[in-house]
Amino acid sequence: MTISIFDSLKAGGKKLTKPRKAILAILERSTPPITVAEVHERLKKAHAPADLVTVYRNLAMLQELGLVNQVGLHEGQMRYEVRHGREHHHHIQCRGCGLIVDLLLCPLKKLTELVEQQTKFAVEGHALEFFGWCPQCR
Amino acid sequence: MTISIFDSLKAGGKKLTKPRKAILAILERSTPPITVAEVHERLKKAHAPADLVTVYRNLAMLQELGLVNQVGLHEGQMRYEVRHGREHHHHIQCRGCGLIVDLLLCPLKKLTELVEQQTKFAVEGHALEFFGWCPQCR
DNA sequence: CTCTATGCAAATAATTTGCAAGCAC
DNA sequence: GTGCTTGCAAATTATTTGCATAGAG
């Protein structure tokens, strides 16, 4: 059985508040990752408005618990998506309109062709960064 | 023969000013990509101070001309490095101290092992994004 | 009742823009 | 001279922090 998001929250000593529930619900419904501002707007539309700060704090906390992924596309702001059983994946963003599409694969290079086939995008570039612990810090 | 940075500037209708020359000189000497603030500081130390705005504008312009790469490591700020004949490459950053090391390779997955061998880092994650033109925009 | 969460105000920080004066060509 | 550039001030935008109050367990 999979561990529910709620169990994870409880395990982290977190409470299930109304805004928190609403934020999670919105993330669940957003396939390409969305910005903090978007979450904030959708909360209002969903008649469950919450302060922007509350959104920031919740997203940061959810990321700490590993419940959401932070996605940076170098737009000057971060995006978030629920992890919730989804496979490890990446994204492709249009340089023209900003459209973001999920990629179901991961490796790279010949991958570019695959990405192009799969998304119909004309791939023009990619960004790849690794993160870890250097010899001094590990 | 390789095209010099100066020729590229001229071709772009750009002038070779003192701050611009100093910024390029600093970038040439910085192997891991550096932040705008760092460029600004080093300009001062090099007795060729320039306004922060000037640094921003020059880096943006140099990027437009393809003379420098913008590197985003999700730090809340961008970094830059000269292209200048260097091979396409990526970076690895330590989650502990922030140390950045250049990677001489590119593909991924089994790559992680290679990256670990090459850098002695304990790789914990990576970010990979593609950029291009979607069907509507291409 | 106790501790986490929220809202509001204000502070940071990165980056951008407007405009008049300066300098490269 | 003419147009690209710079410096300075000010505006924007994203994100964070402090603090008193509200609400979950």
Side-chain angles (χ1 to χ4, degrees):
Chain A
M1 63 284 118
T2 48
I3 300 171
S4 82
I5 286 183
F6 307 109
D7 291 338
S8 300
L9 284 177
K10 185 164 295 180
K14 307 302 178 185
K15 295 177 177 176
L16 197 52
T17 64
K18 187 183 168 191
R20 185 161 294 165
K21 235 178 295 184
I23 290 170
L24 281 167
I26 285 171
L27 287 174
E28 299 268 19
R29 289 191 258 98
S30 317
T31 300
I34 58 180
T35 65
V36 178
E38 279 171 333
V39 173
H40 183 238
E41 285 167 23
R42 297 193 193 181
L43 282 170
K44 192 180 301 175
K45 287 182 190 160
H47 304 294
D51 195 279
L52 226 205
V53 179
T54 297
V55 181
Y56 270 105
R57 287 196 272 229
N58 271 283
L59 291 175
M61 178 275 277
L62 291 170
Q63 188 193 208
E64 295 266 296
L65 294 187
L67 298 178
V68 307
N69 291 321
Q70 187 184 51
V71 180
L73 293 170
H74 307 173
E75 304 166 290
Q77 69 188 316
M78 290 291 136
R79 288 173 179 276
Y80 296 84
E81 64 180 359
V82 277
R83 234 173 185 153
H84 199 211
R86 306 187 62 206
E87 299 241 347
H88 166 76
H89 63 284
H90 295 282
H91 308 87
I92 181 164
Q93 179 172 44
C94 178
R95 285 228 155 103
C97 63
L99 173 69
I100 298 169
V101 174
D102 287 349
L103 296 178
L104 303 179
L105 35 72
C106 175
L108 169 74
K109 191 76 165 185
K110 306 171 183 175
L111 268 205
T112 294
E113 320 167 5
L114 269 175
V115 170
E116 294 191 314
Q117 281 175 33
Q118 185 180 311
T119 67
K120 304 304 180 205
F121 269 59
V123 173
E124 200 179 86
H126 60 255
L128 168 61
E129 333 284 350
F130 288 86
F131 299 94
W133 302 90
C134 76
Q136 323 306 320
C137 297
R138 61 193 301 182
Chain B
M1 59 288 114
T2 49
I3 300 172
S4 81
I5 285 182
F6 306 109
D7 291 338
S8 300
L9 284 176
K10 185 163 297 180
K14 307 301 178 185
K15 295 177 178 175
L16 196 53
T17 63
K18 187 182 169 192
R20 185 161 293 166
K21 233 179 297 185
I23 290 171
L24 280 168
I26 286 171
L27 287 174
E28 298 268 22
R29 289 192 257 98
S30 316
T31 300
I34 58 180
T35 65
V36 178
E38 279 171 333
V39 172
H40 184 236
E41 285 167 23
R42 296 192 194 182
L43 281 170
K44 193 180 301 174
K45 287 183 190 158
H47 305 294
D51 195 278
L52 226 207
V53 179
T54 297
V55 180
Y56 270 105
R57 287 198 272 231
N58 271 284
L59 291 174
M61 180 275 279
L62 291 170
Q63 189 193 207
E64 294 267 296
L65 294 187
L67 298 178
V68 307
N69 292 321
Q70 188 184 52
V71 180
L73 294 170
H74 307 174
E75 305 166 291
Q77 68 187 317
M78 289 292 136
R79 288 175 179 276
Y80 296 84
E81 65 181 358
V82 276
R83 233 172 185 154
H84 197 210
R86 306 185 63 205
E87 299 240 347
H88 166 76
H89 63 283
H90 295 284
H91 308 88
I92 181 164
Q93 178 174 45
C94 179
R95 285 226 157 103
C97 64
L99 173 67
I100 297 169
V101 174
D102 287 348
L103 297 177
L104 303 179
L105 36 73
C106 174
L108 169 76
K109 190 77 164 184
K110 305 172 182 173
L111 268 205
T112 294
E113 321 166 3
L114 268 175
V115 171
E116 294 191 313
Q117 282 176 30
Q118 185 181 312
T119 67
K120 304 305 181 206
F121 270 59
V123 174
E124 200 179 85
H126 60 254
L128 169 61
E129 333 286 350
F130 288 87
F131 299 93
W133 302 89
C134 76
Q136 323 306 320
C137 297
R138 58 194 303 183

